[in-house]
């Protein structure tokens, strides 16, 4: 009896030690993956906004622009959860890119850890290595280093969590072993796993609808594990297929009726066979970059598949042959390769070009488009090393990880600044019209207008329908004083699209620089009608006021406040005119005080020019004690901020206010 007890105790101790050892290994593995990812992506910290990052956290965000609310957002746009995430990040980090990059890095780490646990659950050899390779794969840099690709990095962890939770549900509810314990408890646990899986799947779809391929992956996994797909598998994945169908149709509609029309660019019509042939070429392109991530670029130049050119079908035929060979050896190694390649191809399906989408106006292939599918290839590579190089696995794994880490670190350096990224893109793809346009914008920001003109001209050479390049070229020529050339570019753009608000506004600015103010005002007013915004109304108000027309300036300022009642500058400017205009019929002391007080509250009484307007408003309303006190406060605030000019102007108010007289602007 004593011996039996000792034996039982030793077994218990063994399993206890084994459990602790296993937990320690998992913690160590997780920390190693997190450390690798942090080192590789160090160059993007604190980082910068690149490409369309700033737009998507600012004016391009429907929550920021006010086009949608938190209530109307959820089915009012594509990438709903990502849009909500950018809005939250903007609240937390403002215009500091470091915080955004930290979030993306954390999401990449979480995805890598979930991939590790998923591969381990599937008992795939080299599971940790497969996840670590994904964490540091150079192709991932395009998604992780770009704040605009939050939709990718946010969708994938939910996708992997849904997949992993479904496997737990499947084991507990669908293929439970007869010797399992309490069935009711297990089924309750299975229900929880299913709920977690479905909720995570919906969140993945809300972040990016490419997650629609999950149910197909689940069925492929069932076939790989058990050799066939049963009616039970179809039944229990049916909710996933219904969600995929709903979100997929919604995404196709959104791309065709909202996203593509917003670009003002038409996609060339393609037959089904052209799309199929192009998909075959795109598949091999992505597979090649996944296996050998060399010469990576933001934009790749790929020739279109011409109708009637049978050679364009060769990549597709090669893909079919590869599948046939794997099927022939499906009872051996072919089954595993079919599963890995099949998952990769299925996950790539939304990005292979079968459906028209906004991204196709810029590129046919891009590294970020294969980000969700990449884990299938890193898992296959790690499994191959674990199976075929058992004796040298540690050396091989370390070597591959080191090479990928170095390449990713270098790639992250490219994404550290906008100029680095654009110049790298043009070095590898000189015909990238978008990159030429971006470089021209960067050079114009450095006052290198000849260089900017050169880049905008090259952008139009490679894409004669690029309205942004026409607008930017016209603006650069205006700043150089080459107004005849600027007019020609603006008019060419407006001939292609007379209803483009931003081009009208840019043309108006060019006309103003030429001294053609009436024409400039006309163009700006058309721009405001086509694309109303506060800044345009404020610009028009400034032009009217500078031209001696305060009445029309007041009209424009009130239009600006109708768009945003809390715009402090519009409130301040309106209060100033209502308080100081030489036209008595325009002055309104009570309204001026109300607007000026609101402007000061919005700016916490810290801006001297707003305190000046408030002082003038009090004087116009006849409250001279408050006018004197506010003017003195404006002087103190101006001196404290080092603005001697503002303090001097405010000092001119005091004698008038002390004499019981309001301030008046001189008549024009």
């Amino acid at each position: 009896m004593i011996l039996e007890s000792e034996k039982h105790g030793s077994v218990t101790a063994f399993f206890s030690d084994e459990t602790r050892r296993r937990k320690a290994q998992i913690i160590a593995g997780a920390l190693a993956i997190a450390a690798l990812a942090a080192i590789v992506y160090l160059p993007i910290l604190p980082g910068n906004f690149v490409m369309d990052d700033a737009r998507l956290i600012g004016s391009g965000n429907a929550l920021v622009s006010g086009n949608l609310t938190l209530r109307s957002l959820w089915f009012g746009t594509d990438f709903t959860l990502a849009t909500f995430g950018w809005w939250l990040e903007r609240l937390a980090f403002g215009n500091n890119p470091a915080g955004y990059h930290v979030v993306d890095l954390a999401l990449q780490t979480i995805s890598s850890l979930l991939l590790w646990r998923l591969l381990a659950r599937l008992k795939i050899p080299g599971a940790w290595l497969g996840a670590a390779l994904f964490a540091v794969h150079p192709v991932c840099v395009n998604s992780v280093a770009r704040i605009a690709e939050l939709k990718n990095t946010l969708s994938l962890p939910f996708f992997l969590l849904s997949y992993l939770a479904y496997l737990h549900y499947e084991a507990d509810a669908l293929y439970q072993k007869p010797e399992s314990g309490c069935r009711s408890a297990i089924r309750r646990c299975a229900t929880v796993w299913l709920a977690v899986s479905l909720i995570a799947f919906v969140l993945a779809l809300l972040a990016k609808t490419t997650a629609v391929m999950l149910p197909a992956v689940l069925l492929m996994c069932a076939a790989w594990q058990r050799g066939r797909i049963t009616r039970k598998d179809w039944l229990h994945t049916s909710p996933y297929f219904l969600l995929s169908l709903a979100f997929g149709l919604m995404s196709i509609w959104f791309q065709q009726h909202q996203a593509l029309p917003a670009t003002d660019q038409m996609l060339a019509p393609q037959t089904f066979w052209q799309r199929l042939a192009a998909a075959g070429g795109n598949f091999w392109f992505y597979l090649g970059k996944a296996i050998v991530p060399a010469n990576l670029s933001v934009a790749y130049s790929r020739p279109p598949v011409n109708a009637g050119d049978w050679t364009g079908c060769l990549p597709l035929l090669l893909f079919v042959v590869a599948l046939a060979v794997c099927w022939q050896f499906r009872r051996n190694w072919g089954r595993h390769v079919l599963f890995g390649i099949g998952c990769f191809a299925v996950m790539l399906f939304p990005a292979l070009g079968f459906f028209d989408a906004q991204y196709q106006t810029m590129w046919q292939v891009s590294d970020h488009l294969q980000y969700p599918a990449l884990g299938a290839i890193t898992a296959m590579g790690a499994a191959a090393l674990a199976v075929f190089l058992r004796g040298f696995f540690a050396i091989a794994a370390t070597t591959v990880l080191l090479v990928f880490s170095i390449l990713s670190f270098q790639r992250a350096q490219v994404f550290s600044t906008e100029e680095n990224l654009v110049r790298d893109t043009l070095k590898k793809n000189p015909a990238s019209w978008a990159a030429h346009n971006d470089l021209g914008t960067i050079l114009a920001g450095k006052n290198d207008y000849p260089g900017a003109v050169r880049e905008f001209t090259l952008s139009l050479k490679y894409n004669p329908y690029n309205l942004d390049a026409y607008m930017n070229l016209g603006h650069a020529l205006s700043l150089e004083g080459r107004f005849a050339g600027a007019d020609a570019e603006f008019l060419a753009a407006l001939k292609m699209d007379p209803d483009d608000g931003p081009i009208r506004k840019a043309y108006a600015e060019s006309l103003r620089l030429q001294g053609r103010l009436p024409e400039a005002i006309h163009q700006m007013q058309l721009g405001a009608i086509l694309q109303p915004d506060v800044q345009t109304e404020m610009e028009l108000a400034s032009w009217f006021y500078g031209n001696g027309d305060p009445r029309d300036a007041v009209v424009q300022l009130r239009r600006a406040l109708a768009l945003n009642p809390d715009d402090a500058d519009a409130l301040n400017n309106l209060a100033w005119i209502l308080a100081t205009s030489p036209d008595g019929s325009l002055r309104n002391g009570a309204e001026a005080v109300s607007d000026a007080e609101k402007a000061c509250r919005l700016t916490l009484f810290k801006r001297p020019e707003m305190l000046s307007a408030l002082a003038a408003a009090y004087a116009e309303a006849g409250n001279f004690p408050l006018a004197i006190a506010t003017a003195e406060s404006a002087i103190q605030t101006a001196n404290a901020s080092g603005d001697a000019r503002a303090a001097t102007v405010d000092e001119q108010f005091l004698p008038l206010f002390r004499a019981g007289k309001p301030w008046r602007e001189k008549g024009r």
Side-chain angles (χ1 to χ4, degrees):
M1 198 67 181
I2 296 174
L3 291 175
E4 190 66 29
S5 175
E6 289 176 352
K7 180 180 178 180
H8 177 74
S10 65
V11 171
T12 303
F14 170 78
F15 281 109
S16 178
D17 290 343
E18 182 65 22
T19 301
R20 283 196 294 268
R21 187 159 44 250
R22 181 63 182 154
K23 287 181 179 178
Q25 288 175 346
I26 291 175
I27 292 172
L31 291 175
I33 287 176
L36 280 170
I39 292 170
V40 161
Y41 287 101
L42 194 61
I44 68 170
L45 298 174
N48 291 277
F49 297 115
V50 298
M51 297 180 68
D52 50 354
D53 288 349
R55 180 182 65 82
L56 287 177
I57 67 167
S59 61
N61 188 306
L63 288 175
V64 175
S65 65
N67 293 332
L68 293 173
T69 65
L70 286 173
R71 178 174 295 180
S72 62
L73 168 72
W74 299 102
F75 296 100
T77 183
D78 213 358
F79 314 130
T80 302
L81 192 60
T83 301
F84 179 64
W86 286 315
W87 178 74
L88 287 178
E89 288 182 320
R90 183 181 175 88
L91 292 179
F93 310 125
N95 291 322
N96 182 2
Y100 300 88
H101 287 304
V102 168
V103 170
D104 285 336
L105 176 55
L107 290 170
Q108 170 71 354
T109 303
I110 292 170
S111 292
S112 302
L113 296 177
L114 286 169
L115 179 62
W116 175 28
R117 302 323 304 155
L118 175 63
L119 298 178
R121 178 80 185 182
L122 293 172
K123 296 182 172 56
I124 293 177
W128 182 88
L129 177 61
L133 287 174
F134 177 79
V136 300
H137 200 291
V139 166
C140 292
V141 177
N142 195 316
S143 293
V144 182
R146 289 172 57 195
I147 297 164
E149 286 308 314
L150 178 67
K151 48 187 180 284
N152 254 349
T153 55
L154 186 58
S155 178
L156 185 58
F158 287 120
F159 178 95
L160 294 170
L161 176 60
S162 181
Y163 191 170
L164 186 58
Y166 183 83
L167 292 178
H168 281 282
Y169 163 73
E170 184 183 69
D172 289 345
L174 306 187
Y175 299 100
Q176 190 183 116
K177 295 180 181 179
E179 65 273 13
S180 298
C182 178
R183 289 182 177 272
S184 60
I186 291 175
R187 288 195 173 275
R188 283 196 299 272
C189 186
T191 303
V192 172
W193 281 119
L194 180 61
V196 169
S197 180
L198 286 170
I199 291 170
F201 184 44
V202 171
L203 292 173
L205 291 167
L206 286 171
K208 190 173 185 180
T209 48
T210 51
V212 292
M213 304 313 297
L214 175 62
V217 172
L218 294 178
L219 289 182
M220 292 176 63
C221 184
W224 172 71
Q225 287 181 312
R226 294 178 289 277
R228 63 194 181 97
I229 301 173
T230 66
R231 183 182 300 176
K232 192 185 297 186
D233 295 319
W234 283 106
L235 178 63
H236 288 268
T237 56
S238 59
Y240 297 84
F241 277 105
L242 290 174
L243 286 168
S244 291
L245 180 64
F247 276 88
L249 291 175
M250 180 182 68
S251 183
I252 291 171
W253 180 90
F254 180 85
Q255 289 293 327
Q256 291 181 348
H257 296 281
Q258 292 193 32
L260 273 171
T263 65
D264 294 322
Q265 296 189 52
M266 298 293 293
L267 294 175
Q270 289 182 297
T271 66
F272 173 76
W273 293 107
Q274 282 179 290
R275 292 179 187 271
L276 195 61
N282 292 344
F283 168 83
W284 289 109
F285 175 86
Y286 284 128
L287 183 60
K289 293 297 182 184
I291 297 172
V292 184
N295 202 34
L296 299 180
S297 177
V298 167
Y300 299 98
S301 178
R302 287 183 58 77
V305 176
N306 297 320
D309 183 6
W310 67 270
T311 59
C313 296
L314 289 177
L316 178 63
L317 292 174
L318 181 60
F319 176 68
V320 173
V321 169
L323 292 182
V325 171
C326 291
W327 181 259
Q328 185 66 29
F329 293 93
R330 64 188 180 277
R331 301 189 185 281
N332 195 354
W333 57 267
R335 179 167 64 98
H336 308 300
V337 177
L338 267 178
F339 178 49
I341 291 295
C343 286
F344 183 65
V346 164
M347 288 296 296
L348 274 178
F349 178 77
L352 290 179
F354 288 104
F355 307 102
D356 288 343
Q358 184 183 34
Y359 74 84
Q360 293 168 345
T361 63
M362 301 286 291
W363 42 58
Q364 294 301 307
V365 292
S366 177
D367 292 341
H368 77 280
L369 296 176
Q370 74 156 314
Y371 175 81
L374 190 61
I377 300 302
T378 62
M380 285 182 64
L385 291 178
V387 171
F388 297 112
L389 295 177
R390 290 183 182 178
F392 303 95
F393 176 70
I395 296 174
T398 303
T399 301
V400 175
L401 269 179
L402 182 61
V403 171
F404 275 29
S405 296
I406 292 172
L407 291 175
S408 290
F409 186 87
Q410 293 173 341
R411 191 74 184 138
Q413 288 178 317
V414 169
F415 279 83
S416 62
T417 69
E418 177 80 8
E419 186 168 353
N420 283 352
L421 181 58
V422 172
R423 291 192 181 279
D424 177 80
T425 302
L426 289 174
K427 180 180 177 182
K428 296 168 181 174
N429 183 10
S432 175
W433 56 269
H436 280 295
N437 186 59
D438 290 342
L439 181 56
T441 303
I442 293 169
L443 294 176
K446 296 180 175 181
N447 297 326
D448 181 4
Y449 300 121
V453 167
R454 181 182 65 252
E455 295 301 326
F456 294 138
T457 303
L458 285 170
S459 180
L460 288 170
K461 173 186 175 182
Y462 295 115
N463 182 3
Y465 303 101
N466 182 7
L467 291 177
D468 283 344
Y470 277 110
M471 179 175 66
N472 291 336
L473 178 55
H475 187 58
L477 290 170
S478 294
L479 293 173
E480 278 195 300
R482 296 160 61 182
F483 296 118
D487 285 354
E489 300 301 333
F490 284 121
L491 291 174
L494 289 172
K495 184 178 180 180
M496 285 192 288
D497 188 358
D499 296 330
D500 191 294
I503 293 177
R504 294 252 177 218
K505 295 173 188 179
Y507 187 28
E509 180 61 29
S510 175
L511 292 170
R512 188 189 68 82
L513 290 174
Q514 299 177 49
R516 297 157 63 183
L517 190 59
E519 294 174 78
I521 289 174
H522 175 67
Q523 290 295 333
M524 188 65 84
Q525 286 176 321
L526 289 175
I529 293 170
L530 293 167
Q531 188 191 45
D533 61 74
V534 172
Q535 187 58 42
T536 303
E537 304 295 350
M538 292 279 287
E539 193 76 19
L540 275 169
S542 174
W543 292 359
F544 279 124
Y545 190 73
N547 200 39
D549 189 354
R551 189 170 295 278
D552 278 336
V554 166
V555 172
Q556 298 303 143
L557 290 169
R558 284 181 172 148
R559 286 177 179 171
L561 289 170
L563 294 171
N564 182 6
D566 293 330
D567 189 285
D569 289 314
L571 288 164
N572 179 72
N573 294 350
L574 179 57
W576 179 260
I577 296 175
L578 296 177
T580 66
S581 174
D583 184 351
S585 65
L586 194 58
R587 292 196 302 274
N588 186 325
E591 184 181 348
V593 168
S594 175
D595 290 339
E597 285 181 338
K598 185 175 181 180
C600 286
R601 284 196 302 272
L602 288 168
T603 55
L604 304 177
F605 294 84
K606 291 183 178 180
R607 287 176 57 176
E609 74 275 16
M610 295 196 176
L611 290 169
S612 298
L614 180 56
Y618 282 139
E620 174 61 25
N623 192 339
F624 290 103
L626 266 180
I628 295 169
T630 305
E632 290 174 342
S633 178
I635 294 170
Q636 292 174 358
T637 305
N639 286 327
S641 62
D643 191 347
R645 178 180 171 278
T648 302
V649 171
D650 290 329
E651 286 170 355
Q652 298 175 22
F653 295 167
L654 286 175
L656 282 172
F657 296 165
R658 286 169 179 156
K661 297 179 180 179
W663 174 270
R664 294 281 182 270
E665 286 277 17
K666 294 180 180 179
R668 303 186 186 189

